[in-house]
Amino acid sequence: MTSPTPQTKSAPPLNPQQRAAVEHTEGPLLVFAGAGSGKTFVITQRIAHLVHQRGVAPQQIIALTFTNKAAGEMRERLAAALGPLARGIWISTFHAACTRILRRHHELLGLPQRFVIYDAADQKHLLKQVLRDLKIDATRFPEAAFASRISRLKSDPQAPPPEPAAKPRFGIEQHLAAVAAAYDEALRANGAVDFDDLLRLTVELWESYPAVLETYRETLRYVLVDEYQDTNAMQWRLLDLLCRTHQNLCVVGDDDQSIYRWRGADVGNILEFARHYPKARVITLGENYRSSETILHAASAVVARNRRRQPKELFTGRGPGEKIILFEAYDEEEEASFITAGVRHRREAEGTDYRDIAVFFRTNAQSRVVEDGLRRAGIPYQVVGGLKFYDRKEVKDLLAYVRLLVNPRDDVSLLRIINVPPRGIGAATLQRLTDYAKRARLPLLEAVRHAAHPHLARAEDADLGAAVAGKAARGHLQQFVLLLDELGKMVAEASASETLTAVLRRSGYLESLAKEEDAQAESRRENLNELISAAQDFEQENDGEVDVAAFLDHAALVAHQDVMSDASGVVTLMTLHASKGLEFDTVFMAGMEEGLFPHERSRHTTAELEEERRLCYVGMTRAKNRLLMSWATTRRVGGQRRSSLPSQFLADLPQEDLTEAAVPHRLGGQTAALDRATLADGMPRRKPRASRERRELAYEVEPAAQSGGEASTSDGYRRGMRVRHAIFGVGVVREVSGSGDTLKLSVEFPGAGVKKLMVKYAGLEVVEPRR
DNA sequence: AGTGCTGGACTTTTT
DNA sequence: GTCCAGCACT
């Protein structure tokens, strides 16, 4: 049983800890995988070992991840290591796996065969309706607050079903039970489940039907979980149910990288694994293959201050490398200048490619100032995160049509598209229809059908007449019903992409979009095309399997992070949360200030503060060779300027890992030592600041004098002229149209593309044309 | 029915 | 400073 593992061709040798993890195949195994310790490599090698050395059938293995990206990577690596055999392994996110299971056994839980998955936005819509029905003031108790509370309730397997409070409660608590119950009821009525339901209902299925559970236990003999530190209580229950008998559960994670506590993740799952499974073997992967010794040492020092963690010794053979550079800026503008200058310096002086540089921040709002700076300097960048593809309005609209076709009970989708594009079904009609639907306990679409064709309604529903008082309204409803019926026929026969195309054409959506001519409409059209291509891709991947419903699942479960194009050679900006799992040669961490990082709202309990500290650790350990951390002594928060102190995390950095070296900061064409920040007693000392005027010299383009001249009159714009916009920076005028108040310009901005601007509102500043 | 205005909020967001 | 939702206005 202890035959040595022959290495798959081209795979580097395993270190002793990695080897131990790979070869421990029977019984529970916990792998603490420090940052950059070759975790994915170990996971894939372990699965390859199971198949090649232990003769385990691929069908007996399931690997669970949190993100589609992680699942995709694992699938790829396994295909390389195992070839066609890899296809038999069930590699999936938790939520996708549960969806598949629930689709198989939906009838046992009373779910419709074609239940739809509601995302956060749908959830919000539904909650808003629920609050309205319950007459709860949504301004005092916003639905977002209910959403996260309800999510917690639904993710806790111990939670008793919400029942009326025994003791008086206050604030949101007094409504929570009622709202949660009504919300769940509304989900069921819509034939929908939310993300939490996917896990919860699978647990319910297994607990209520032991025979069903038994079949999964029989089949899935080897269970592997990635990023185990991010599992919540329900996921733990799910895993425990599946593995309790054979106990071949291998979990891999890093407690120090648990940063989703606020979403219900429980570090306790990884910290107490060995207590749950006393026979568990525990292995720590301590060798880091990513970062320099300095970076690893400093990051470890920060996270070592946490009390609730597994102590571990990380090491690297990579040598000390460069010191960490600290920079104290006067304000966020200067911080941005520091980053811009630093990026340019890395590239010009050291030949670092833009794609190897990243800027991290705690909050999304921080990105704007950095973006402005980079744009002005002409440095290309991309922001990761932001609006996701499947969250875009037009994409959601189109998907809502298809969801409604697949599941006619889906009121949320119906309300979304019934008057999109406008087809004369207004608020008044809709109000009467929803009232009627509620009274008759019918799905909204049924109400619409009754109103369109009153003979369908029961005789006693005389009040339905009120809903269709206007002949016009009835006509519009009839048209709409006709449209849906027509499209409905397609769903059975046509492929996903064909259905999407048909919906776009026949609903009038394309037509209405064609009437708009601005750049936004253009990008909407592109996004819709993109969605159709996504459907086509999906059809190809699942050769033959072209069910629209399957594509809807795919769309709901794939966050579709705007795929980072490695080839594009641009600087990457993102939140610290988004940085997990990535690595860059050079990392800037901006906004290292008390109140921002750690965030004001996460400083009050030890658990919160420890999570912020882990976040700091995650950010730092993304850097391979260079790490630059900056803070601003004053910063605009909301509308106000506030002064702030350096982050306490900076004080945790060992002095010997930091540099006092000057930061090259380009000023007025010459490279000068602008500033240096030192830590005395762990706290930075103040230094004289560069004045705002001097800082502005760092920008390449200077505004032209605004005195007289044709350039400054409102209609003196010419093609080829350079103008500055407060947000998009400097751009070149491509087209001039209209005059006076309606004077419009098409301006091409290097960082933002062509924008159409109304001169009256754009607040443009003319910039001297380049000679 | 569709546009425009005001008020409030503003941490992170794998699925 | 900016974004969005909800409401008022036309």
Side-chain angles (χ1 to χ4, degrees), chain A residues 311-333:
Chain A
K312 48 185 95 60
E313 205 59 53
L314 302 184
F315 58 95
T316 176
R318 290 215 28 219
E322 289 181 27
K323 303 271 191 207
I324 296 167
I325 294 174
L326 299 176
F327 180 73
E328 180 189 74
Y330 168 71
D331 61 9
E332 71 274 13
E333 299 274 343

Side-chain angles (χ1 to χ4, degrees), chain A residues 622-672:
Chain A
R622 300 307 97 196
K624 293 199 255 188
N625 296 312
R626 296 186 181 80
L627 180 58
L628 301 92
M629 303 168 94
S630 56
W631 70 98
T633 55
T634 70
R635 180 178 295 273
R636 233 178 19 233
V637 181
Q640 276 146 1
R641 183 154 291 287
R642 282 193 216 155
S643 58
S644 40
L645 296 169
S647 169
Q648 57 184 286
F649 303 145
L650 293 174
D652 298 335
L653 301 175
Q655 191 73 63
E656 70 265 27
D657 295 332
L658 310 174
T659 184
E660 291 195 33
V663 179
H665 195 95
R666 190 151 168 244
L667 284 171
Q670 59 174 305
T671 300

Side-chain angles (χ1 to χ4, degrees), chain A residues 290-292 295 318 322-325 338-360 570-574 579 582-590 618-629 663:
Chain A
R290 177 188 299 146
S291 303
S292 71
I295 290 167
R318 290 215 28 219
E322 289 181 27
K323 303 271 191 207
I324 296 167
I325 294 174
F338 160 73
I339 292 167
T340 305
V343 167
R344 191 189 279 151
H345 176 78
R346 301 277 148 220
R347 169 150 153 134
E348 288 174 3
E350 296 166 25
T352 309
D353 198 293
Y354 284 147
R355 86 190 62 174
D356 296 323
I357 302 176
V359 184
F360 301 159
V570 304
V571 175
T572 305
L573 274 54
M574 64 180 108
S579 77
L582 304 175
E583 60 176 33
F584 297 90
D585 174 84
T586 299
V587 166
F588 289 84
M589 284 171 69
V618 166
M620 293 177 74
T621 51
R622 300 307 97 196
K624 293 199 255 188
N625 296 312
R626 296 186 181 80
L627 180 58
L628 301 92
M629 303 168 94
V663 179

Side-chain angles (χ1 to χ4, degrees), chain A residues 17-68:
Chain A
Q17 290 76 35
Q18 290 177 329
R19 176 171 296 274
V22 166
E23 291 177 0
H24 179 98
T25 56
E26 307 299 313
L29 170 65
L30 164 59
V31 180
F32 281 108
S37 62
K39 177 190 69 172
T40 314
F41 176 57
V42 168
I43 292 174
T44 42
Q45 288 301 305
R46 187 169 178 279
I47 292 177
H49 179 83
L50 281 170
V51 174
H52 281 150
Q53 307 302 314
R54 307 283 167 139
V56 175
Q59 286 71 20
Q60 295 181 309
I61 303 172
I62 182 169
L64 293 164
T65 66
F66 279 84
T67 66
N68 294 292

Side-chain angles (χ1 to χ4, degrees), chain A residues 387-399 500 504 509-510 513 519-535 551 560 562:
Chain A
L387 200 54
K388 310 228 170 49
F389 180 75
Y390 282 103
D391 286 342
R392 302 214 161 119
K393 181 183 175 304
E394 60 278 14
V395 173
K396 297 210 75 168
D397 285 344
L398 181 48
L399 287 175
L500 289 170
L504 267 188
Y509 201 98
L510 264 192
L513 206 52
Q520 217 184 8
E522 182 55 40
S523 104
R524 294 220 164 122
R525 277 191 287 272
E526 279 167 19
N527 288 333
L528 291 169
N529 280 331
E530 182 64 36
L531 181 62
I532 291 169
S533 330
F551 178 66
H560 197 111
D562 282 357

Side-chain angles (χ1 to χ4, degrees), chain A residues 171-362:
Chain A
I172 203 169
E173 298 290 336
Q174 65 187 318
H175 299 303
L176 187 56
V179 173
Y183 166 73
D184 268 345
E185 206 176 295
L187 276 176
R188 292 303 97 87
N190 282 275
V193 300
D194 64 18
F195 287 133
D196 297 318
D197 283 331
L198 292 172
L199 304 171
R200 181 178 74 156
L201 292 173
T202 305
V203 165
E204 193 183 312
L205 171 77
W206 283 353
E207 287 184 338
S208 313
Y209 299 92
V212 173
L213 172 59
E214 197 51 44
T215 62
Y216 285 96
R217 280 182 175 167
E218 280 293 310
T219 320
L220 302 170
R221 304 293 294 271
Y222 293 88
V223 179
L224 210 135
V225 184
D226 189 19
E227 304 278 17
Y228 187 65
Q229 77 280 357
D230 288 333
T231 48
N232 66 21
M234 198 61 83
Q235 284 156 332
W236 156 243
R237 170 66 66 99
L238 193 77
L239 292 170
D240 191 41
L241 280 171
L242 184 57
C243 304
R244 205 176 289 159
T245 44
H246 55 66
Q247 300 214 351
N248 291 326
L249 173 60
C250 167
V251 300
V252 182
D254 181 1
D255 51 323
D256 290 334
Q257 294 188 64
S258 169
I259 55 174
Y260 286 105
R261 191 190 91 99
W262 49 278
R263 280 182 103 269
D266 182 2
V267 226
N269 282 352
I270 192 167
L271 292 175
E272 278 147 44
F273 185 82
R275 208 168 51 79
H276 286 302
Y277 287 108
K279 286 188 209 149
R281 170 95 193 265
V282 180
I283 294 171
T284 302
L285 305 180
E287 177 157 13
N288 176 300
Y289 297 95
R290 177 188 299 146
S291 303
S292 71
E293 207 173 291
T294 299
I295 290 167
L296 190 63
H297 183 246
S300 302
V302 173
V303 84
R305 293 185 66 96
N306 277 355
R307 293 181 57 200
R308 188 154 189 240
R309 73 184 282 261
Q310 168 78 18
K312 48 185 95 60
E313 205 59 53
L314 302 184
F315 58 95
T316 176
R318 290 215 28 219
E322 289 181 27
K323 303 271 191 207
I324 296 167
I325 294 174
L326 299 176
F327 180 73
E328 180 189 74
Y330 168 71
D331 61 9
E332 71 274 13
E333 299 274 343
E334 195 190 38
E335 181 178 54
S337 298
F338 160 73
I339 292 167
T340 305
V343 167
R344 191 189 279 151
H345 176 78
R346 301 277 148 220
R347 169 150 153 134
E348 288 174 3
E350 296 166 25
T352 309
D353 198 293
Y354 284 147
R355 86 190 62 174
D356 296 323
I357 302 176
V359 184
F360 301 159
F361 30 76
R362 177 64 177 81

